[in-house]
Amino acid sequence: MNLRVISLVLIFVGITIEFATSGSQIGNLIAGVGIAGYVYDFFKRRQRPPL
């Protein structure tokens, strides 16, 4: 699967868990990993040479 899709799914799941279990840091951790993966993928794609 694409890293961008996985990251977006992790962000969505993290936010959902955060709203479902208020006060738990698990949702923040999952969403944080998703955001980090999305930013990594964004900059990795940006460094490719233009076609």
Side-chain angles (χ1 to χ4, degrees):
M1 279 182 74
N2 191 353
L3 181 60
R4 181 175 288 182
V5 173
I6 294 171
S7 298
L8 289 174
V9 169
L10 283 175
I11 292 169
F12 179 73
V13 168
I15 290 172
T16 304
I17 290 174
E18 183 62 33
F19 281 122
T21 59
S22 333
S24 175
Q25 296 298 317
I26 301 296
N28 286 339
L29 177 68
I30 294 172
V33 169
I35 291 170
Y38 188 83
V39 170
Y40 172 77
D41 183 57
F42 174 77
F43 283 112
K44 186 176 74 169
R45 287 175 188 261
R46 195 168 173 196
Q47 289 179 355
R48 290 186 185 165
L51 296 175

